[in-house]
Amino acid sequence: QVQLVESGGGSVQAGGSLSLSCAASGYTSSSYCMVWFRQAPGKEREGVAAIDSDGISAYADSVKGRFTISKDNAENTLYLQMNSLKPEDTAMYYCASDYCGRMTAIEALVTLGWGYWGQGTQVTVSS
């Protein structure tokens, strides 16, 4: 059984930085994608950054140049480094994952039907 455990998040002023982690366990092969989503109150869940099974990444336009997704394959841990944070980045952040075959990171970014989700971690950016 695959499990995802998130850590990080918190509160920061605009312009600050935060880092999120998502530790995955239970995978028996490396053919899986991992995605960071976020959901603000009253808004739909949106893909923020994704990394496919080849290690290729993709980002939502709203975070390009500010957020960096990375994955430590040895530790099966996904990271999201968030810099130059804005109040509109305030949301609950979730990591999601599943075996994904040849799905690209861009496709993963807009896919919601992932089999495994983390518990979520709150990011709050004040102005």
Side-chain angles (χ1 to χ4, degrees):
Q1 180 72 15
V2 173
Q3 290 187 321
L4 304 176
V5 179
E6 299 177 28
S7 59
S11 298
V12 68
Q13 288 191 326
S17 298
L18 285 172
S19 180
L20 306 181
S21 300
C22 175
S25 61
Y27 276 114
T28 59
S29 80
S30 61
S31 298
Y32 60 93
C33 297
M34 299 190 81
V35 190
W36 286 105
F37 287 88
R38 67 185 180 188
Q39 188 165 20
K43 294 190 176 181
E44 294 184 352
R45 190 168 295 189
E46 62 171 347
V48 173
I51 193 161
D52 64 24
S53 57
D54 291 327
I56 305 299
S57 59
Y59 298 90
D61 288 343
S62 58
V63 305
K64 277 182 184 175
R66 300 188 298 121
F67 290 12
T68 302
I69 189 172
S70 62
K71 182 170 170 284
D72 184 329
N73 290 321
E75 298 293 329
N76 285 334
T77 300
L78 182 72
Y79 300 97
L80 186 68
Q81 178 64 40
M82 304 181 291
N83 298 328
S84 302
L85 282 161
K86 304 175 181 180
E88 50 263 44
D89 294 318
T90 295
M92 186 71 79
Y93 283 70
Y94 301 88
C95 68
S97 184
D98 208 334
Y99 294 104
C100 60
R102 302 308 301 170
M103 180 183 287
T104 67
I106 292 176
E107 292 169 334
L109 200 58
V110 296
T111 298
L112 292 177
W114 298 99
Y116 309 103
W117 290 82
Q119 77 280 13
T121 185
Q122 180 68 37
V123 170
T124 302
V125 185
S126 57
S127 57

